[in-house]
Amino acid sequence: MTNPTANDKWFQDRAVEQIHMDQLKRVELFNGRAAMLGIVIGILTEAITGSGIAHQIGLGALVDGYAACRTQFLPFCF
């Protein structure tokens, strides 16, 4: 016959693992929805203002070739 305490520990460990997996699924679902919402808001703001998402968050100089080279953000400019 098996040891009842070892069997109980296995069930407890399995229950804890299942709870963590359920929490992880909920958190990842929320993160995915928040990311989709952020992209949609960024695209709508781009459509309204005309400035891209990189410009909206202050990284416009990195995507503008001349400005990026001029301010030496990119080390491979000639």
Side-chain angles (χ1 to χ4, degrees):
M1 187 162 214
T2 62
N3 186 358
T5 58
N7 201 17
D8 291 342
K9 173 122 175 70
W10 182 85
F11 281 117
Q12 289 174 353
D13 290 344
R14 182 71 179 131
V16 167
E17 181 182 330
Q18 190 65 36
I19 290 170
H20 285 286
M21 289 303 293
D22 290 342
Q23 289 174 345
L24 181 64
K25 287 178 186 177
R26 283 197 307 268
V27 167
E28 288 298 325
L29 185 63
F30 178 80
N31 285 343
R33 289 177 178 168
M36 288 186 281
L37 184 62
I39 292 294
V40 168
I41 289 171
I43 290 171
L44 290 175
T45 305
E46 181 177 353
I48 293 170
T49 63
S51 63
I53 293 175
H55 287 87
Q56 294 171 21
I57 61 173
L59 298 176
L62 291 176
V63 295
D64 295 338
Y66 176 74
C69 289
R70 185 93 168 121
T71 58
Q72 299 175 352
F73 282 129
L74 299 176
F76 49 82
C77 293
F78 299 103

